[in-house]
Amino acid sequence: MPDRVRVFAPATASNLGPGFDVLGLALERPGDLVEAEICDEPGVEIVEVSGADSLNTNPRENVVGIAAAAAIERLPVAGRGVRLWLHKQMPLGSGLGSSAASSVGGAVAVNALFGGALSADDLVACALRGEAAASGTAHADNVAPSVMGGIVLIRASDPLDLIRLPVPDALRVVLVHPHAQVLTAEARRLVAERRFTIGQAVANLGNVAALVAALHTGDLALLGRSIQDALVEPVRAPLVPAFAEVKQAALDAGALGCSISGSGPSVLAFAESDALADAVADVMEAAFESAGLESDRYVGPVNTAGARVLA
Ligand code: HSE
């Protein structure tokens, strides 16, 4: 067993249009790095957090410490503990699953140090403790794909029932992050306060089911038609500057579909080739720029590996 490890935990895009809290996918980049070593004192110490001034090193407040402690509870640690270094490599409040990536990094690192007995479901459950502390609810649509990689359906959270969906070879993900922040807890409050009609619910049921069918059959046109959200996107669109313009630009440039990534402000689009994905990212960034916002792009295939221990 190693006594020191480095773990990469990927960013994620959740909801994927109609699948609020039930669909998510892993990105190849960005992602957080967590270094961890075994120490003789029990419990969790966070030695350093780099890349995010607003996060502190209190292991009961920082999600990396909360998730690491949850993993320690489930493993034969023989009275020992861990020291952690968290290197944030993505912005907070971005819609990229930042709190999920740190939580997953903490849980996966502890598991690697103490024998690796935890299953993917166990790791998701540990990381969910961190996610719940950050956003107020234990939604698994970021932590599950960050642990498992690929595109994951969360059929149920309690008990966890996670289903990994097929990823069509040609599918490309375009993630554009405007330099703005949305607080997930606040974005969730907006949704929780809203009353929805049965017609809106039925529209989303049809689109989630069709999206799953599209992934199974590799029907990218159907996938594109399914990226429609009658519930959450209309409520949150005002939180994303120039969202309507960015989405229209993406669709006009050939995106299969486009919606808010998680609680935003990042915007997610799908394309069916590398060239189209780049063209879509170009026009999305240009639309943000027209609204006075700089942005970063992450373009590529779905990350099918998920969190990994680095050599
Ligand atoms: N499904 C969650 C939401 C993801 O949309 O609130 C945010 O972390």
Side-chain angles (χ1 to χ4, degrees), residues 146-167:
S146 186
V147 168
M148 300 159 68
I151 304 177
V152 182
L153 168 67
I154 292 83
R155 193 204 62 78
S157 299
D158 189 17
L160 271 177
D161 190 357
L162 307 173
I163 299 148
R164 208 161 181 282
L165 299 169
V167 180

PDB file of all heavy atoms in Angstrom, residues 146-167:
ATOM      1  N   SER A 146     -17.983  11.938 -11.605  1.00  0.00           N
ATOM      2  CA  SER A 146     -16.584  12.228 -11.281  1.00  0.00           C
ATOM      3  C   SER A 146     -15.885  10.968 -10.771  1.00  0.00           C
ATOM      4  O   SER A 146     -14.722  10.718 -11.096  1.00  0.00           O
ATOM      5  CB  SER A 146     -16.491  13.362 -10.245  1.00  0.00           C
ATOM      6  OG  SER A 146     -15.147  13.727 -10.034  1.00  0.00           O
ATOM      7  N   VAL A 147     -16.584  10.142 -10.000  1.00  0.00           N
ATOM      8  CA  VAL A 147     -15.999   8.871  -9.529  1.00  0.00           C
ATOM      9  C   VAL A 147     -15.906   7.865 -10.673  1.00  0.00           C
ATOM     10  O   VAL A 147     -14.853   7.247 -10.906  1.00  0.00           O
ATOM     11  CB  VAL A 147     -16.863   8.251  -8.398  1.00  0.00           C
ATOM     12  CG1 VAL A 147     -16.439   6.803  -8.124  1.00  0.00           C
ATOM     13  CG2 VAL A 147     -16.778   9.088  -7.125  1.00  0.00           C
ATOM     14  N   MET A 148     -17.018   7.681 -11.385  1.00  0.00           N
ATOM     15  CA  MET A 148     -17.147   6.531 -12.289  1.00  0.00           C
ATOM     16  C   MET A 148     -16.714   6.831 -13.725  1.00  0.00           C
ATOM     17  O   MET A 148     -16.456   5.911 -14.502  1.00  0.00           O
ATOM     18  CB  MET A 148     -18.617   6.072 -12.331  1.00  0.00           C
ATOM     19  CG  MET A 148     -19.159   5.635 -10.973  1.00  0.00           C
ATOM     20  SD  MET A 148     -20.959   5.666 -10.878  1.00  0.00           S
ATOM     21  CE  MET A 148     -21.410   4.359 -11.999  1.00  0.00           C
ATOM     22  N   GLY A 149     -16.686   8.121 -14.097  1.00  0.00           N
ATOM     23  CA  GLY A 149     -16.455   8.473 -15.486  1.00  0.00           C
ATOM     24  C   GLY A 149     -17.699   8.225 -16.319  1.00  0.00           C
ATOM     25  O   GLY A 149     -18.687   7.653 -15.841  1.00  0.00           O
ATOM     26  N   GLY A 150     -17.682   8.678 -17.571  1.00  0.00           N
ATOM     27  CA  GLY A 150     -18.776   8.427 -18.486  1.00  0.00           C
ATOM     28  C   GLY A 150     -19.994   9.288 -18.206  1.00  0.00           C
ATOM     29  O   GLY A 150     -19.908  10.368 -17.622  1.00  0.00           O
ATOM     30  N   ILE A 151     -21.132   8.781 -18.651  1.00  0.00           N
ATOM     31  CA  ILE A 151     -22.415   9.450 -18.434  1.00  0.00           C
ATOM     32  C   ILE A 151     -23.196   8.564 -17.470  1.00  0.00           C
ATOM     33  O   ILE A 151     -23.337   7.366 -17.703  1.00  0.00           O
ATOM     34  CB  ILE A 151     -23.196   9.633 -19.754  1.00  0.00           C
ATOM     35  CG1 ILE A 151     -22.344  10.405 -20.776  1.00  0.00           C
ATOM     36  CG2 ILE A 151     -24.515  10.361 -19.498  1.00  0.00           C
ATOM     37  CD1 ILE A 151     -23.002  10.587 -22.144  1.00  0.00           C
ATOM     38  N   VAL A 152     -23.676   9.157 -16.379  1.00  0.00           N
ATOM     39  CA  VAL A 152     -24.298   8.357 -15.322  1.00  0.00           C
ATOM     40  C   VAL A 152     -25.720   8.837 -15.082  1.00  0.00           C
ATOM     41  O   VAL A 152     -25.989  10.043 -15.035  1.00  0.00           O
ATOM     42  CB  VAL A 152     -23.483   8.453 -14.007  1.00  0.00           C
ATOM     43  CG1 VAL A 152     -24.115   7.585 -12.916  1.00  0.00           C
ATOM     44  CG2 VAL A 152     -22.034   8.023 -14.240  1.00  0.00           C
ATOM     45  N   LEU A 153     -26.613   7.858 -14.918  1.00  0.00           N
ATOM     46  CA  LEU A 153     -28.002   8.122 -14.546  1.00  0.00           C
ATOM     47  C   LEU A 153     -28.158   7.790 -13.061  1.00  0.00           C
ATOM     48  O   LEU A 153     -27.804   6.685 -12.628  1.00  0.00           O
ATOM     49  CB  LEU A 153     -28.931   7.230 -15.378  1.00  0.00           C
ATOM     50  CG  LEU A 153     -30.401   7.159 -14.942  1.00  0.00           C
ATOM     51  CD1 LEU A 153     -31.103   8.493 -15.144  1.00  0.00           C
ATOM     52  CD2 LEU A 153     -31.133   6.073 -15.732  1.00  0.00           C
ATOM     53  N   ILE A 154     -28.662   8.733 -12.304  1.00  0.00           N
ATOM     54  CA  ILE A 154     -28.925   8.493 -10.882  1.00  0.00           C
ATOM     55  C   ILE A 154     -30.399   8.121 -10.758  1.00  0.00           C
ATOM     56  O   ILE A 154     -31.274   8.990 -10.708  1.00  0.00           O
ATOM     57  CB  ILE A 154     -28.578   9.744 -10.021  1.00  0.00           C
ATOM     58  CG1 ILE A 154     -27.068   9.990 -10.021  1.00  0.00           C
ATOM     59  CG2 ILE A 154     -29.000   9.539  -8.570  1.00  0.00           C
ATOM     60  CD1 ILE A 154     -26.521  10.726 -11.152  1.00  0.00           C
ATOM     61  N   ARG A 155     -30.691   6.804 -10.757  1.00  0.00           N
ATOM     62  CA  ARG A 155     -32.103   6.398 -10.659  1.00  0.00           C
ATOM     63  C   ARG A 155     -32.659   6.742  -9.292  1.00  0.00           C
ATOM     64  O   ARG A 155     -33.817   7.108  -9.149  1.00  0.00           O
ATOM     65  CB  ARG A 155     -32.262   4.885 -10.924  1.00  0.00           C
ATOM     66  CG  ARG A 155     -33.724   4.487 -11.141  1.00  0.00           C
ATOM     67  CD  ARG A 155     -34.012   3.032 -10.843  1.00  0.00           C
ATOM     68  NE  ARG A 155     -33.762   2.645  -9.469  1.00  0.00           N
ATOM     69  CZ  ARG A 155     -34.577   2.901  -8.441  1.00  0.00           C
ATOM     70  NH1 ARG A 155     -35.702   3.548  -8.619  1.00  0.00           N
ATOM     71  NH2 ARG A 155     -34.249   2.512  -7.212  1.00  0.00           N
ATOM     72  N   ALA A 156     -31.814   6.597  -8.244  1.00  0.00           N
ATOM     73  CA  ALA A 156     -32.246   6.937  -6.888  1.00  0.00           C
ATOM     74  C   ALA A 156     -31.020   7.284  -6.064  1.00  0.00           C
ATOM     75  O   ALA A 156     -29.920   6.779  -6.315  1.00  0.00           O
ATOM     76  CB  ALA A 156     -32.983   5.759  -6.262  1.00  0.00           C
ATOM     77  N   SER A 157     -31.223   8.142  -5.075  1.00  0.00           N
ATOM     78  CA  SER A 157     -30.108   8.566  -4.222  1.00  0.00           C
ATOM     79  C   SER A 157     -30.101   7.852  -2.884  1.00  0.00           C
ATOM     80  O   SER A 157     -29.083   7.802  -2.212  1.00  0.00           O
ATOM     81  CB  SER A 157     -30.203  10.066  -3.930  1.00  0.00           C
ATOM     82  OG  SER A 157     -30.129  10.785  -5.123  1.00  0.00           O
ATOM     83  N   ASP A 158     -31.251   7.341  -2.435  1.00  0.00           N
ATOM     84  CA  ASP A 158     -31.312   6.718  -1.113  1.00  0.00           C
ATOM     85  C   ASP A 158     -32.262   5.530  -1.127  1.00  0.00           C
ATOM     86  O   ASP A 158     -33.476   5.730  -1.035  1.00  0.00           O
ATOM     87  CB  ASP A 158     -31.776   7.765  -0.092  1.00  0.00           C
ATOM     88  CG  ASP A 158     -31.655   7.245   1.328  1.00  0.00           C
ATOM     89  OD1 ASP A 158     -30.931   6.255   1.521  1.00  0.00           O
ATOM     90  OD2 ASP A 158     -32.295   7.825   2.218  1.00  0.00           O
ATOM     91  N   PRO A 159     -31.771   4.293  -1.252  1.00  0.00           N
ATOM     92  CA  PRO A 159     -30.363   3.986  -1.435  1.00  0.00           C
ATOM     93  C   PRO A 159     -29.916   4.328  -2.864  1.00  0.00           C
ATOM     94  O   PRO A 159     -30.732   4.378  -3.782  1.00  0.00           O
ATOM     95  CB  PRO A 159     -30.297   2.478  -1.182  1.00  0.00           C
ATOM     96  CG  PRO A 159     -31.660   1.978  -1.532  1.00  0.00           C
ATOM     97  CD  PRO A 159     -32.619   3.078  -1.195  1.00  0.00           C
ATOM     98  N   LEU A 160     -28.592   4.489  -3.003  1.00  0.00           N
ATOM     99  CA  LEU A 160     -28.027   4.848  -4.297  1.00  0.00           C
ATOM    100  C   LEU A 160     -28.300   3.768  -5.340  1.00  0.00           C
ATOM    101  O   LEU A 160     -28.134   2.587  -5.070  1.00  0.00           O
ATOM    102  CB  LEU A 160     -26.511   4.966  -4.180  1.00  0.00           C
ATOM    103  CG  LEU A 160     -25.904   6.311  -3.791  1.00  0.00           C
ATOM    104  CD1 LEU A 160     -24.404   6.154  -3.665  1.00  0.00           C
ATOM    105  CD2 LEU A 160     -26.263   7.394  -4.791  1.00  0.00           C
ATOM    106  N   ASP A 161     -28.718   4.185  -6.513  1.00  0.00           N
ATOM    107  CA  ASP A 161     -28.868   3.262  -7.638  1.00  0.00           C
ATOM    108  C   ASP A 161     -28.339   4.004  -8.865  1.00  0.00           C
ATOM    109  O   ASP A 161     -29.025   4.873  -9.422  1.00  0.00           O
ATOM    110  CB  ASP A 161     -30.335   2.861  -7.798  1.00  0.00           C
ATOM    111  CG  ASP A 161     -30.517   1.717  -8.785  1.00  0.00           C
ATOM    112  OD1 ASP A 161     -29.512   1.279  -9.393  1.00  0.00           O
ATOM    113  OD2 ASP A 161     -31.665   1.267  -8.966  1.00  0.00           O
ATOM    114  N   LEU A 162     -27.098   3.689  -9.236  1.00  0.00           N
ATOM    115  CA  LEU A 162     -26.391   4.435 -10.279  1.00  0.00           C
ATOM    116  C   LEU A 162     -26.250   3.566 -11.523  1.00  0.00           C
ATOM    117  O   LEU A 162     -25.857   2.400 -11.423  1.00  0.00           O
ATOM    118  CB  LEU A 162     -24.994   4.834  -9.785  1.00  0.00           C
ATOM    119  CG  LEU A 162     -24.971   5.576  -8.441  1.00  0.00           C
ATOM    120  CD1 LEU A 162     -23.538   5.778  -7.965  1.00  0.00           C
ATOM    121  CD2 LEU A 162     -25.684   6.915  -8.568  1.00  0.00           C
ATOM    122  N   ILE A 163     -26.552   4.143 -12.677  1.00  0.00           N
ATOM    123  CA  ILE A 163     -26.508   3.377 -13.922  1.00  0.00           C
ATOM    124  C   ILE A 163     -25.599   4.100 -14.912  1.00  0.00           C
ATOM    125  O   ILE A 163     -25.848   5.252 -15.255  1.00  0.00           O
ATOM    126  CB  ILE A 163     -27.931   3.245 -14.507  1.00  0.00           C
ATOM    127  CG1 ILE A 163     -28.816   2.492 -13.498  1.00  0.00           C
ATOM    128  CG2 ILE A 163     -27.906   2.512 -15.842  1.00  0.00           C
ATOM    129  CD1 ILE A 163     -30.236   2.903 -13.523  1.00  0.00           C
ATOM    130  N   ARG A 164     -24.543   3.402 -15.335  1.00  0.00           N
ATOM    131  CA  ARG A 164     -23.626   3.996 -16.303  1.00  0.00           C
ATOM    132  C   ARG A 164     -24.203   3.792 -17.699  1.00  0.00           C
ATOM    133  O   ARG A 164     -24.541   2.672 -18.078  1.00  0.00           O
ATOM    134  CB  ARG A 164     -22.256   3.319 -16.186  1.00  0.00           C
ATOM    135  CG  ARG A 164     -21.099   4.194 -16.588  1.00  0.00           C
ATOM    136  CD  ARG A 164     -19.832   3.602 -15.985  1.00  0.00           C
ATOM    137  NE  ARG A 164     -18.673   4.381 -16.301  1.00  0.00           N
ATOM    138  CZ  ARG A 164     -18.043   4.346 -17.468  1.00  0.00           C
ATOM    139  NH1 ARG A 164     -18.476   3.559 -18.434  1.00  0.00           N
ATOM    140  NH2 ARG A 164     -16.973   5.104 -17.667  1.00  0.00           N
ATOM    141  N   LEU A 165     -24.329   4.868 -18.455  1.00  0.00           N
ATOM    142  CA  LEU A 165     -24.947   4.810 -19.777  1.00  0.00           C
ATOM    143  C   LEU A 165     -23.866   4.736 -20.853  1.00  0.00           C
ATOM    144  O   LEU A 165     -22.742   5.209 -20.640  1.00  0.00           O
ATOM    145  CB  LEU A 165     -25.819   6.057 -19.989  1.00  0.00           C
ATOM    146  CG  LEU A 165     -26.974   6.196 -18.978  1.00  0.00           C
ATOM    147  CD1 LEU A 165     -27.615   7.571 -19.084  1.00  0.00           C
ATOM    148  CD2 LEU A 165     -28.015   5.098 -19.210  1.00  0.00           C
ATOM    149  N   PRO A 166     -24.197   4.184 -22.023  1.00  0.00           N
ATOM    150  CA  PRO A 166     -23.200   4.124 -23.103  1.00  0.00           C
ATOM    151  C   PRO A 166     -22.867   5.537 -23.610  1.00  0.00           C
ATOM    152  O   PRO A 166     -23.718   6.424 -23.575  1.00  0.00           O
ATOM    153  CB  PRO A 166     -23.900   3.334 -24.209  1.00  0.00           C
ATOM    154  CG  PRO A 166     -25.174   2.837 -23.653  1.00  0.00           C
ATOM    155  CD  PRO A 166     -25.487   3.592 -22.405  1.00  0.00           C
ATOM    156  N   VAL A 167     -21.625   5.703 -24.065  1.00  0.00           N
ATOM    157  CA  VAL A 167     -21.194   6.999 -24.624  1.00  0.00           C
ATOM    158  C   VAL A 167     -20.899   6.806 -26.107  1.00  0.00           C
ATOM    159  O   VAL A 167     -19.936   6.118 -26.458  1.00  0.00           O
ATOM    160  CB  VAL A 167     -19.925   7.510 -23.904  1.00  0.00           C
ATOM    161  CG1 VAL A 167     -19.493   8.851 -24.502  1.00  0.00           C
ATOM    162  CG2 VAL A 167     -20.153   7.640 -22.399  1.00  0.00           C
TER     163      VAL A 167
END
